[in-house]
Amino acid sequence: MENKLKLDDRRQKILDMLHQNGKVSVAAISRELGTTPVTIRSDLTALEQEGHLIRVQGGAVLPPRNKSSQTIPTVSNVEEKKRIAAAIAAMIRDGDTLFINSGTTTEYVATALEIRANLNIVTNSLAVATILGEIPSFRVILVGGEINAQYGFTYGGDALSQLEKYKANWAILSIDGISTSCGITTRHAEEAMVDRTMIANASSILIAADHTKIERAGFARVRDDLEGITVVTDSSNTDELASAGMIIINV
C-alpha cells in the first residue's frame, strides 16, 4: 500500500535524498518512500519549478551553485503542454500502437498515456521509454542507433531501419515549428529523418504543439504537406493551418 506521507513531508524527504547524493532517480525515490512513480515525477516537476532541482532523464540533479555561468534547462508553457498531452491521451484507444518522438511535450504525453492499457510504443526518446516502460501492460521498444546524449534521443541508420519494421496507428510528434510556408520542422536535423520515417509508417499523425510552435519554422524540414494531419494546440492562430487541410484540436 502506498505510504501516506503528507505532500510537504514527502517532498522534503526527496530534497534530503538529493542533497545527500547530488542526484536522485524516480525509481529509487519510489522504492524508498513507497510512492508511485507518477506521484514522484509530479513532485520533481513542482520542486523544479520552485528552483530546488533540475529534472533530467529518469530523475533529478542539484542545480549548479553559480547559475550565471551555466545555462539551466527549463520547460516552458508547462500547463499548456499538460492540456495538450491530456487531449492526445483521450484520443488514443487501449491496444493502439504508437510511434513517439523525443521532446518535452511528448514526455508530458507519455505521462498522460498512463490512463491507457495494453499500448505498444516505439520511440527514439530515452525519457519516453523510461516513463512508459514502468507500466506493466505496455510494450515499449526503444529503437537503437546513435545517441544524442544532450537531448536524450537515438537516430541514424540503425534507428531508421528498425522503425521500418513497424506499423503504428499513430505517430505522435513533438516539433519545433509548423507553418503553411515551411510545413513541419524540427530543431535537430538528425531527428528529422526519424520523424519522417514515423510519419511514413503510421496510419494517422498527431502533432503536439503549444502556441509558441505555430507559424514558426525550425531548422530542419520534416514534411511540407499538412493535409489530413491533426495538430493539438492551445493556439488560436490556426486559420491558415486549417486552410492548408490540417485538423485543428484546440485545448
Side-chain angles (χ1 to χ4, degrees):
M1 179 178 293
E2 185 172 326
N3 195 328
K4 300 300 184 182
L5 283 170
K6 290 183 179 179
L7 183 145
D8 288 345
D9 291 340
R10 187 178 66 243
R11 291 181 180 175
Q12 184 58 55
K13 288 180 180 292
I14 291 172
L15 290 177
D16 290 344
M17 294 173 65
L18 179 61
H19 284 281
Q20 181 178 356
N21 301 306
K23 60 182 179 180
V24 290
S25 72
V26 171
I29 302 170
S30 179
R31 287 194 301 269
E32 178 71 19
L33 303 184
T35 305
T36 65
V38 176
T39 299
I40 298 303
R41 284 193 289 270
S42 176
D43 288 337
L44 293 180
T45 297
L47 290 169
E48 181 182 48
Q49 291 171 349
E50 294 172 1
H52 296 295
L53 53 80
I54 297 172
R55 290 292 306 275
V56 296
Q57 187 264 324
V61 297
L62 285 172
R65 293 182 180 180
N66 184 6
K67 295 185 180 180
S68 62
S69 65
Q70 184 170 346
T71 300
I72 299 174
T74 58
V75 178
S76 59
N77 307 313
V78 170
E79 293 306 316
E80 292 89 340
K81 290 177 180 180
K82 286 182 178 179
R83 293 202 306 272
I84 290 167
I88 289 175
M91 298 171 66
I92 304 303
R93 296 179 179 178
D94 293 349
D96 277 351
T97 297
L98 315 175
F99 290 138
I100 305 178
N101 75 346
S102 71
T104 56
T105 309
T106 43
E107 289 178 31
Y108 284 110
V109 171
T111 300
L113 285 172
E114 293 173 345
I115 66 170
R116 303 265 68 95
N118 303 314
L119 296 181
N120 300 293
I121 299 101
V122 182
T123 182
N124 72 321
S125 166
L126 276 65
V128 168
T130 299
I131 293 167
L132 295 178
E134 297 176 349
I135 302 174
S137 75
F138 288 6
R139 182 184 182 189
V140 179
I141 297 172
L142 174 64
V143 298
E146 298 180 67
I147 295 178
N148 183 316
Q150 181 178 3
Y151 291 99
F153 65 82
T154 59
Y155 66 97
D158 288 342
L160 299 179
S161 63
Q162 192 173 354
L163 281 170
E164 290 283 3
K165 298 177 182 179
Y166 304 109
K167 298 294 181 183
N169 301 103
W170 300 92
I172 302 174
L173 304 179
S174 175
I175 50 90
D176 289 288
I178 184 167
S179 67
T180 51
S181 59
C182 296
I184 299 167
T185 51
T186 185
R187 177 186 306 172
H188 305 288
E190 61 266 38
E191 196 175 31
M193 279 297 296
V194 171
D195 293 347
R196 285 197 285 271
T197 305
M198 288 181 173
I199 287 172
N201 290 282
S203 300
S204 300
I205 306 162
L206 273 174
I207 303 296
D210 67 71
H211 63 276
T212 64
K213 310 298 175 58
I214 304 301
E215 294 303 332
R216 168 186 167 182
F219 173 69
R221 195 182 300 259
V222 174
R223 181 184 172 106
D224 292 320
D225 183 15
L226 302 179
E227 180 75 30
I229 295 175
T230 300
V231 59
V232 183
T233 182
D234 64 306
S235 174
S236 58
N237 183 29
T238 54
D239 289 347
E240 290 190 16
L241 296 179
S243 296
M246 291 201 81
I247 301 166
I248 311 298
I249 297 179
N250 289 108
V251 298

